[in-house]
Every structure is written in C-alpha cells, then in structure tokens.
Amino acid sequence: KDVIIHKYPIITLTTMIEKHMRVASFFIILLSTVKFVVSTCSDDPSYYNPRVPYLTCSAYTSNICEDLQIMGFDKQQAAEAIQRCPKSCDKCPSIPSSSCTNDPLYSDP
C-alpha cells in the first residue's frame, strides 16, 4: 500500500517531482542559451543642474533634455546634462535587434 503524505500517494508525488524536474531542466537549458545584457546606463548621482542647483538628473525627461538650450543652458551645459543623465534623458544605448535570434534547434516540449 502507498504511503500517504499530505493526501498524495508516493507515486503521485514522484510523478509530480519528475514533471517539475523536466520543466526545471527545460528552463536551465533555456537560461544557459540566453545572453543577458546588463545595462550599465545610469545617471550620475553627483550631477546638479547648473541653473537650479537643487535639481538633479531625476528632474529631467527626454523632452526636457532636448530643450535645454531653449531653457537657457549653453551648448556645453546641455551636452554635460545629457552625458551625465543618460537614463533620465532616455539616451541609454539600445540593444541591437539583430543580437536576438531564435534557436533553430529548439522545439516545444
């Protein structure tokens, strides 16, 4: 007679574990083939707006960054703001779409 654990017979638990192991091994294989790109794009925490010294990069958006000269920044100040606040200004380099391809050997389990 099967030993009952939490109302499931051992055979059922064994079957469940085997199914989970197959799923887990699928994800391990999948993760081993995926190339992760770690984004190093971040704002400089020491940057302060030269015209309003208490404002940091978090005050910028991509629209504001495009209009900094209209707002009174000279070219050098605008370029520095964009260089030091790339995340807020939405100027982080993007991952080229050609780097992502389907695995021709993959088949659904």
Side-chain angles (χ1 to χ4, degrees):
K1 192 171 188 180
D2 290 335
V3 176
I4 305 291
I5 300 174
H6 299 288
K7 299 183 184 178
Y8 293 109
I10 290 289
I11 294 170
T12 305
L13 285 175
T14 305
T15 306
M16 289 171 56
I17 291 168
E18 287 172 355
K19 285 181 181 179
H20 286 3
M21 292 300 289
R22 283 195 298 266
V23 171
S25 64
F26 165 74
F27 282 108
I28 290 169
I29 292 168
L30 178 66
L31 290 174
S32 68
T33 61
V34 173
K35 294 178 183 174
F36 290 96
V37 177
V38 177
S39 175
T40 58
C41 183
S42 60
D43 293 337
D44 180 348
S46 67
Y47 175 81
Y48 287 91
N49 183 315
R51 299 185 54 78
V52 187
Y54 58 85
L55 293 179
T56 64
C57 290
S58 63
Y60 296 142
T61 63
S62 60
N63 291 338
I64 290 173
C65 292
E66 291 174 12
D67 295 334
L68 289 173
Q69 287 185 290
I70 294 170
M71 296 167 51
F73 283 57
D74 62 32
K75 270 188 171 182
Q76 183 179 357
Q77 290 171 328
E80 180 185 11
I82 291 169
Q83 178 186 6
R84 293 180 64 189
C85 303
K87 190 170 184 179
S88 294
C89 291
D90 199 22
K91 298 294 182 188
C92 294
S94 61
I95 301 168
S97 61
S98 63
S99 69
C100 182
T101 58
N102 290 329
D103 182 353
L105 301 176
Y106 172 79
S107 64
D108 279 332

